[in-house]
């Protein structure tokens, strides 16, 4: 997510901030393709919809009522096909000297953190930091490790090996079908066994796990449209029954899918 001058329109760059923290909140925000990198630590909260954060060689899904913490100087960009996205972020010039603040975290925002974020929206786009803002946001920042349990984490790895790129593209286009390792091996021009070994070595997950992640991501997009029942969505993303889909969804999201039945 990128900015320009705080008095200008959304989707632009904030440059040369002189304050310790900066709050930005806007409803129904539209994504752009800009990659952003700055020396501020960043806390994003998704009030409605969902967002994908592309950070280094991973894509992080941040669904509704979740937050993502991004360390300073991490190149990132956001995408989303959600019908509406209401994001809020706080930029911090510095952070405590703890390992937590130097790593990416995605976690569900508990009620108290959501209330704190909404209270902070009173300083939306303010470029002069008053004493209350400074103390309140400093307390919020220091409390983050206590709110984070890292229970949620839908992270899709992006391989750098050129042989694996067409494999991922094929899975992304055909996730609803039974995709065999032999077929994928032909695409990668190697044996299925070598492909499975190299894919796991490159991404840290198996081909089967990657297919599962893509199916769950697609189901979240379909749930967001509110056009289909969960049974219809289960079939559309490649599961033969609602129970199989629900179990797979729960294993990734740590919650049951919600939607029309």
């Amino acid at each position: 997510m990128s900015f320009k001058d705080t008095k200008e329109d959304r989707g632009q760059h904030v440059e040369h901030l002189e304050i310790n923290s900066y709050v930005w909140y806007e409803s129904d925000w539209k994504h752009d393709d800009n990659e952003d990198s700055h020396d501020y630590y960043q806390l994003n909260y998704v009030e409605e919809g969902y967002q994908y954060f592309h950070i280094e060689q991973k894509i992080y899904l941040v669904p509704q009522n979740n937050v993502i913490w991004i360390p300073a100087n991490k190149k990132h960009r956001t995408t989303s096909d959600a019908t509406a996205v209401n994001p809020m972020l706080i930029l911090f010039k510095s952070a405590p000297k703890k390992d937590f603040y130097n790593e990416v975290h995605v976690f569900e925002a508990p009620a108290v953190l959501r209330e704190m974020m909404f209270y902070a929206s009173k300083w939306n786009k303010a470029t002069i930091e008053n004493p209350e803002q400074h103390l309140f946001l400093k307390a919020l920042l220091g409390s983050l490790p206590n709110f984070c349990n890292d229970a949620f984490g839908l992270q899709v790895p992006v391989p750098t090996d050129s042989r694996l790129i067409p494999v991922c593209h094929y899975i992304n286009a055909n996730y609803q079908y039974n995709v065999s390792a032999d077929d994928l091996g032909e695409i990668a021009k190697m044996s299925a066994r070598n492909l499975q070994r190299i894919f796991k070595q490159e991404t840290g997950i198996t081909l089967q796990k990657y297919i599962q992640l893509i199916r769950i991501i697609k189901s979240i997009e379909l749930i967001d449209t509110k056009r289909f029942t969960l049974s219809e969505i289960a079939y559309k993303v490649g599961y033969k029954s609602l129970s199989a889909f629900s179990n797979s969804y729960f294993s990734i999201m740590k919650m049951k899918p919600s939607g029309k039945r």
Side-chain angles (χ1 to χ4, degrees), residues 14-30:
V14 170
E15 298 173 350
H16 311 301
L17 286 175
E18 300 293 339
I19 55 180
N20 292 309
S21 55
Y22 175 77
V23 179
W24 186 88
Y25 174 74
E26 188 160 347
S27 61
D28 198 17
W29 186 75
K30 304 303 180 185

Side-chain angles (χ1 to χ4, degrees), residues 38-43 68-74 90 92-105 107 113 137-148 150:
H38 45 71
D39 57 3
Y40 274 73
Y41 297 84
Q42 183 167 322
L43 178 68
I68 181 170
W69 172 260
I70 305 174
N73 298 308
K74 286 273 190 184
I90 304 176
F92 297 95
K93 198 166 192 176
S94 60
K97 304 296 184 182
K98 294 182 179 180
D99 291 342
F100 171 90
Y101 298 97
N102 295 317
E103 301 171 353
V104 176
H105 298 279
F107 56 98
L113 178 56
L137 294 180
K138 183 177 181 181
L140 187 155
L141 177 64
S143 300
L144 284 180
N146 301 318
F147 296 134
C148 176
D150 277 328

Side-chain angles (χ1 to χ4, degrees), residues 197-212:
R197 176 181 59 81
I198 293 171
F199 194 91
K200 178 68 180 294
Q201 180 180 321
E202 175 81 5
T203 66
I205 62 174
T206 63
L207 281 168
Q208 290 71 24
K209 185 69 173 181
Y210 184 87
I211 294 171
Q212 181 189 21

Side-chain angles (χ1 to χ4, degrees), residues 120-155:
S121 66
K122 66 189 282 187
W123 299 300
N124 188 29
K125 300 182 182 179
T127 55
I128 298 176
E129 190 173 49
N130 64 43
E132 183 198 4
Q133 177 183 354
H134 174 73
L135 291 174
F136 184 86
L137 294 180
K138 183 177 181 181
L140 187 155
L141 177 64
S143 300
L144 284 180
N146 301 318
F147 296 134
C148 176
N149 56 22
D150 277 328
F152 172 80
L154 204 169
Q155 306 171 18

Side-chain angles (χ1 to χ4, degrees), residues 6-231:
T6 56
K7 296 180 181 178
E8 295 180 3
D9 292 334
R10 59 190 173 186
Q12 301 180 326
H13 290 278
V14 170
E15 298 173 350
H16 311 301
L17 286 175
E18 300 293 339
I19 55 180
N20 292 309
S21 55
Y22 175 77
V23 179
W24 186 88
Y25 174 74
E26 188 160 347
S27 61
D28 198 17
W29 186 75
K30 304 303 180 185
H31 288 79
D32 53 43
D33 293 326
N34 295 332
E35 185 174 55
D36 199 16
S37 179
H38 45 71
D39 57 3
Y40 274 73
Y41 297 84
Q42 183 167 322
L43 178 68
N44 277 72
Y45 168 64
V46 179
E47 178 190 4
E48 183 178 352
Y50 59 87
Q51 289 181 292
Y52 296 116
F53 284 76
H54 304 250
I55 306 174
E56 296 178 333
Q57 292 307 120
K58 288 185 178 179
I59 301 173
Y60 297 83
L61 170 64
V62 185
Q64 183 175 351
N65 289 327
N66 278 251
V67 297
I68 181 170
W69 172 260
I70 305 174
N73 298 308
K74 286 273 190 184
K75 289 184 177 180
H76 58 277
R77 65 184 179 90
T78 58
T79 57
S80 180
D81 291 322
T83 52
V85 180
N86 292 349
M88 177 181 181
L89 68 80
I90 304 176
L91 300 178
F92 297 95
K93 198 166 192 176
S94 60
K97 304 296 184 182
K98 294 182 179 180
D99 291 342
F100 171 90
Y101 298 97
N102 295 317
E103 301 171 353
V104 176
H105 298 279
V106 179
F107 56 98
E108 185 175 4
V112 63
L113 178 56
R114 296 199 298 270
E115 290 299 324
M116 293 177 78
M117 296 288 287
F118 287 131
Y119 185 82
S121 66
K122 66 189 282 187
W123 299 300
N124 188 29
K125 300 182 182 179
T127 55
I128 298 176
E129 190 173 49
N130 64 43
E132 183 198 4
Q133 177 183 354
H134 174 73
L135 291 174
F136 184 86
L137 294 180
K138 183 177 181 181
L140 187 155
L141 177 64
S143 300
L144 284 180
N146 301 318
F147 296 134
C148 176
N149 56 22
D150 277 328
F152 172 80
L154 204 169
Q155 306 171 18
V156 180
V158 180
T160 57
D161 190 320
S162 60
R163 296 171 296 178
L164 302 182
I165 302 301
V167 171
C168 292
H169 287 336
Y170 184 85
I171 293 173
N172 292 342
N174 297 277
Y175 57 87
Q176 66 270 50
Y177 306 116
N178 290 324
V179 180
S180 72
D182 288 332
D183 291 339
L184 296 175
E186 289 184 11
I187 294 171
K189 296 181 172 55
M190 64 178 76
S191 68
R193 182 175 180 180
N194 279 341
L195 172 60
Q196 290 172 321
R197 176 181 59 81
I198 293 171
F199 194 91
K200 178 68 180 294
Q201 180 180 321
E202 175 81 5
T203 66
I205 62 174
T206 63
L207 281 168
Q208 290 71 24
K209 185 69 173 181
Y210 184 87
I211 294 171
Q212 181 189 21
L213 291 176
I214 298 302
R215 285 178 169 179
I216 298 306
I217 280 178
K218 297 302 181 182
S219 74
I220 291 171
E221 294 178 357
L222 290 171
I223 289 171
D224 181 73
T225 67
K226 299 179 174 61
R227 294 171 51 200
F228 308 103
T229 66
L230 290 179
S231 293

